[in-house]
Amino acid sequence: MACEGYLEEHEIVAEQVKINNLDSEAKGYLDRIEELYKNGELNKADYEDTY
């Protein structure tokens, strides 16, 4: 349904707004988690749970 895509898109935007509103320390943690995932040190399930 088109409605589902619309809702998914808005959910993603809401998450991006939350991330943009984080302080620099919290953003640093998220950056580190993403780095661990990209380096294969963190599995996908744990990475997705973080975000």
Side-chain angles (χ1 to χ4, degrees):
M1 293 184 114
C3 181
E4 289 175 9
Y6 176 83
L7 293 175
E8 287 177 11
E9 183 178 323
H10 282 279
E11 184 175 313
I12 292 168
V13 170
E15 291 299 316
Q16 290 172 341
V17 168
K18 287 179 191 176
I19 290 169
N20 288 336
N21 289 331
L22 293 173
D23 63 25
S24 62
E25 182 179 3
K27 285 182 183 178
Y29 288 126
L30 290 179
D31 289 343
R32 179 67 178 131
I33 290 166
E34 185 173 14
E35 181 181 321
L36 289 171
Y37 175 68
K38 287 181 179 179
N39 291 336
E41 299 174 52
L42 186 66
N43 66 44
K44 186 174 182 175
D46 290 337
Y47 173 74
E48 289 176 347
D49 282 345
T50 303
Y51 275 89

